[in-house]
Amino acid sequence: MIKNSFMSGILQEEKKGSVEFQVLCFTNKIRRLSSHLELHKKDYSSQRGLRKILGKRQRLLAYFSKKNRIRYNELINQLNIRAIKKR
C-alpha cells in the first residue's frame, strides 16, 4: 500500500512507538478498511472502527504538527494524505 522505501526508512530510522510509525500503521488500516467498506456498505461495526482510527490519526497528526512542523510536512507528502485543518 505504502512505498516500501518509505516504510523501510521509518523502520530503520525510528522505533515502532514513534509518531511517524503510528501514523503509517493507522494510514494502512484506514486504506484497508476503506476498501473493505466499498464492498460491504452495511458493515456498521467496521465503519465505527474506521471513524475511531481516523480520530486517533488526526490527534497524532495535530500533536506532530505542533512538535515538528518540517517532519510533519514530509510525512504528509510521503503518505499522500491531507494536512489537518487549522482551528
Side-chain angles (χ1 to χ4, degrees):
M1 293 184 180
I2 304 297
K3 295 179 183 177
N4 289 334
S5 62
F6 178 67
M7 186 180 290
S8 64
I10 284 182
L11 290 175
Q12 291 171 357
E13 295 173 10
E14 305 293 329
K15 299 188 185 222
K16 292 185 178 180
S18 71
V19 175
E20 292 158 320
F21 185 81
Q22 290 179 41
V23 170
L24 173 70
C25 290
F26 286 145
T27 302
N28 286 336
K29 284 183 184 180
I30 289 168
R31 289 183 176 152
R32 191 173 64 241
L33 274 173
S34 296
S35 65
H36 168 79
L37 287 172
E38 287 176 1
L39 295 173
H40 307 283
K41 296 182 189 311
K42 294 190 177 186
D43 188 354
Y44 299 116
S45 59
S46 291
Q47 288 178 9
R48 181 173 184 262
L50 177 63
R51 286 193 299 270
K52 288 182 76 151
I53 294 171
L54 284 168
K56 285 182 184 180
R57 185 179 75 175
Q58 183 179 10
R59 287 191 301 274
L60 269 175
L61 287 172
Y63 164 76
F64 196 52
S65 71
K66 292 175 189 172
K67 183 179 175 190
N68 193 338
R69 194 66 180 184
I70 296 168
R71 286 176 57 193
Y72 165 78
N73 287 329
E74 291 174 1
L75 181 67
I76 292 295
N77 291 333
Q78 288 174 339
L79 292 178
N80 197 19
I81 56 179
R82 288 183 289 185
I84 59 171
K85 293 180 182 178
K86 294 181 181 178
R87 294 181 181 199

